[in-house]
Amino acid sequence: MRKTPGAAPVVARLKPNALGVLGILFLVLSAQAPLTGIAGAVPLSVGLGNGPGAPAAYLLAGAVVLLFSVGFVAMAHHVVDAGAFYTYIGRGLGRTAGVAGAGVALLAYCTIQAAMYGLYGATVRALVERHAGVDVPWWAWALATMAVVQVLGAAAIDMGARVLAVFVLAETGVLLAFALTTLARGGGPEGLGLAHSFSPHAALQGAPGVALMFAVASMFGFEATAIYGEEAREPHRTVPRATYLSITLVTAFFAFVSWMVVSAYGASRASGAAGRALAGGDSPSFVFQPIADRFGGWADDVLPVLLATSLFAGMLAFHNSADRYLFSLGREGVLPRMLCVLNRRHAPWVAGCVQSTVAVLLVMPFAVAGRDPVLTLFSWFSGVAVLAIMLLYFLTSVSVVVFFRRARLDARIWHTVAAPALGALGIAGALALILANFTTLIGGDTATAVRLAAIVPAVLVAGAVAARLVRPRAPGPENGP
């Protein structure tokens, strides 16, 4: 086989024993980008969704995802592969469904990464203009950062985990300090407003599907615990621990911090403040302002920088997830064999190049059309990604039940039947709610909402057709670097 410049010959395995529980946890938390989820999503959830009831959406999303994860983790005990959804769905529902699911997974990871490039470009542009007086288009920063992500993605996965850990700790520390300080002071002008944020009435007011969509987006990436199973130490223990820990931490963190942001304004004023921030083209200010009020003007300078690094961490994490899917599909013979070429650091180098190319193709049309990178690229592709990942959760839940009923490898009813079935019902309900409010998310344009939502089933069908047309090839020889 020809060698790719800078790459070693094809090898069949990613770098083993590279990650422990904390390493995987930081990769997952970076994908969930704490500050991005708060500063990027909470203004949209409060302003366009269910107002002060947005924090409740995180608890609901966390409960549904936690139910789903029970069966997901049970499957991880018996299946370890870099193409988690592809492999899991294929084991239960057959190869055709598995390949179709892999296409949807790639759509989810690539669109959420592209969405983050939109918010990242806008954030960095504002930062540079504010401090250097130079106005560089948002898409130029996005393109330049894609090159950096490509380089880091080609490095060893444990190196990437260390880089991301620094970013995650910094942004999480600032947000927790704000939230704990606000809690200690008894909230804002209207108190803590517990009932205004967590009661059933609060959760269902307005357009709850919008808030739920962004809450699910904040959970996005926890399934990477299984994607990195091949590179984990003792994956049968590491993957379950990292999965449950990440879901619990993320749910509690986002619910708590978003509640404190709403409380800082007061339940009756939060929606108006979020709306003004969105209308002014500076949605993160909805979150940054109360933090600056608590800690002083330095926060106005530090928080935009931390938002940029948060987005960078998320984009790198999704790059790593997507290129491992491409690697797995290449190794299985579904996609060209070149995708499973690894470099000397045992990273999927060619798959990473393909993923970066896809990122360029997704982002640049918005730049050429002169679209607002936050209200279109970030909002629209976040919606598409959430619909895609929810469909994958549903298919995986069904697959878990079928797999264990057929294989009889695990007799635990809760883990293999009850929890996956309940998770599937919860996911179906959440999908219906999100679709009902999808038009609100993209600015009230029904035709655009329909076209965006239709992308997900279209990719699913295309993947199924491709699976029927392409026969899997036998794995290639295992060659060392």
Side-chain angles (χ1 to χ4, degrees):
M1 177 179 289
R2 292 181 303 168
K3 292 184 179 180
T4 302
V10 174
V11 295
R13 305 293 295 177
L14 295 166
K15 184 178 180 180
N17 300 316
L19 297 168
V21 172
L22 288 179
I24 295 177
L25 183 62
F26 277 120
L27 284 166
V28 171
L29 292 179
S30 62
Q32 291 160 338
L35 187 55
T36 300
I38 295 296
V42 168
L44 291 164
S45 296
V46 175
L48 302 178
N50 57 351
Y58 290 103
L59 295 183
L60 177 59
V64 171
V65 171
L66 194 60
L67 276 174
F68 162 79
S69 70
V70 174
F72 184 78
V73 166
M75 180 77 91
H77 280 289
H78 304 281
V79 180
V80 177
D81 190 90
F85 283 127
Y86 158 62
T87 308
Y88 290 11
I89 295 172
R91 288 293 183 91
L93 303 181
R95 177 178 175 272
T96 298
V99 174
V104 176
L106 284 170
L107 172 68
Y109 291 129
C110 290
T111 50
I112 194 64
Q113 187 202 42
M116 296 176 83
Y117 273 120
L119 182 56
Y120 174 86
T123 300
V124 176
R125 176 187 181 180
L127 267 173
V128 173
E129 185 176 11
R130 176 180 178 181
H131 295 288
V134 178
D135 186 9
V136 178
W138 68 267
W139 52 264
W141 296 112
L143 289 177
T145 305
M146 287 177 195
V148 177
V149 167
Q150 171 62 29
V151 171
L152 285 178
I157 190 65
D158 50 345
M159 180 184 299
R162 289 194 294 270
V163 172
L164 297 179
V166 176
F167 294 156
V168 171
L169 287 173
E171 62 189 90
T172 303
V174 171
L175 290 172
L176 277 178
F178 159 75
L180 290 172
T181 301
T182 303
L183 179 67
R185 293 183 177 183
E190 299 174 15
L192 292 174
L194 182 65
H196 292 295
S197 288
F198 293 105
S199 69
H201 171 74
L204 296 175
Q205 65 183 325
V210 172
L212 182 61
M213 193 216 78
F214 283 109
V216 172
S218 299
M219 307 286 168
F220 216 121
F222 85 89
E223 69 283 347
T225 54
I227 292 175
Y228 296 117
E230 191 172 309
E231 298 159 274
R233 292 188 291 273
E234 298 184 276
H236 296 304
R237 294 182 179 181
T238 303
V239 170
R241 291 174 181 175
T243 301
Y244 291 134
L245 189 57
S246 66
I247 295 171
T248 302
L249 288 176
V250 168
T251 299
F253 177 84
F254 280 103
F256 177 49
V257 175
S258 63
W259 173 34
M260 290 299 100
V261 171
V262 169
S263 176
Y265 283 99
S268 65
R269 305 174 185 177
S271 296
R276 288 190 294 274
L278 291 172
D282 186 17
S283 58
S285 66
F286 174 69
V287 173
F288 293 168
Q289 186 58 54
I291 297 178
D293 291 343
R294 289 284 186 270
F295 298 139
W298 64 268
D300 283 332
D301 295 322
V302 172
L303 288 171
V305 176
L306 288 179
L307 177 58
T309 59
S310 174
L311 287 159
F312 177 80
M315 294 181 301
L316 177 56
F318 286 120
H319 173 87
N320 287 334
S321 294
D323 64 18
R324 278 153 180 76
Y325 259 92
L326 292 168
F327 164 84
S328 180
L329 292 171
R331 184 169 60 183
E332 294 293 325
V334 177
L335 292 178
R337 186 83 68 197
M338 286 295 294
L339 290 172
C340 59
V341 171
L342 304 182
N343 63 15
R344 290 179 177 83
R345 294 181 178 272
H346 290 264
W349 189 82
V350 174
C353 291
V354 172
Q355 199 286 320
S356 295
T357 301
V358 171
V360 173
L361 294 176
L362 289 175
V363 169
M364 287 312 295
F366 289 84
V368 173
R371 294 281 191 170
D372 184 292
V374 178
L375 295 180
T376 58
L377 178 55
F378 179 70
S379 296
W380 293 7
F381 276 0
S382 292
V384 172
V386 168
L387 291 178
I389 205 72
M390 293 292 278
L391 177 59
L392 285 171
Y393 291 169
F394 180 82
L395 292 174
T396 303
S397 294
V398 175
S399 180
V400 167
V401 175
V402 174
F403 173 79
F404 284 111
R405 291 308 90 196
R406 181 188 299 149
R408 302 292 179 182
L409 295 172
D410 192 330
R412 298 174 298 176
I413 297 298
W414 171 251
H415 292 76
T416 63
V417 178
L422 289 173
L425 289 174
I427 291 162
L431 266 173
L433 190 59
I434 291 169
L435 285 170
N437 296 139
F438 204 67
T439 300
T440 301
L441 172 68
I442 55 88
D445 187 342
T446 303
T448 301
V450 171
R451 286 194 293 268
L452 289 171
I455 293 173
V456 178
V459 169
L460 184 73
V461 171
V465 171
R468 304 293 294 180
L469 296 177
V470 179
R471 292 185 177 183
R473 300 183 298 272
E478 296 188 10
N479 299 317

